[in-house]
């Protein structure tokens, strides 16, 4: 499969995944506005191993989709459309998105002191 085609497909999938992730953010905000007990329940769920794995995936989907969007904005200017450069960018995208995701989580853990 051609890397640019694969990244286009992954871009669409991550866009769909962001809909689900937005429901998680909405649930967290609703819990924060409802009561301390409900907020503690949602925080416990998101803090569990499964919850953190889902949130890590959401972070990756968000960053990967953002990078894909930036790639498309650059293409809209007419830059980076030649086959070799667009293929190199497509090959780099998964590595960059995973690295940024890990960096965001490291900074997040450092900021909360854990």
């Amino acid at each position: 499969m051609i890397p640019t085609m694969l990244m286009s497909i992954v871009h669409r999938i991550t866009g769909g995944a962001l809909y689900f992730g937005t429901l998680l953010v909405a649930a967290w905000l609703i819990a924060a506005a409802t009561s301390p007990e409900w907020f503690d329940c949602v925080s416990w769920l998101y803090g569990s191993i499964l919850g953190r794995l889902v949130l890590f995936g959401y972070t990756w989907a968000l960053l990967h989709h953002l990078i894909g969007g930036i790639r498309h904005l650059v293409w809209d200017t007419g830059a980076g459309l030649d086959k070799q450069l667009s293929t190199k960018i497509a090959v780099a995208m998964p590595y960059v998105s995973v690295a940024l995701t890990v960096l965001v989580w490291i900074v997040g853990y450092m900021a909360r002191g854990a």
Side-chain angles (χ1 to χ4, degrees), residues 24 45-60 101 105 109:
L24 296 175
L45 179 63
Y46 289 0
S48 70
I49 297 293
L50 181 61
R52 289 179 191 212
L53 185 61
V54 169
L55 291 174
F56 187 85
Y58 177 70
T59 307
W60 172 79
T101 301
W105 276 71
Y109 272 104

Side-chain angles (χ1 to χ4, degrees), residues 1-13 64 71-72 75 83 86-87 89-91 93:
M1 187 176 285
I2 300 169
T4 51
M5 181 174 62
L6 180 61
M7 287 303 102
S8 177
I9 293 167
V10 173
H11 183 76
R12 293 167 201 276
I13 292 169
H64 195 278
R71 179 181 65 148
H72 282 276
W75 284 351
K83 186 176 180 176
S86 64
T87 299
I89 292 170
V91 168
M93 280 183 62

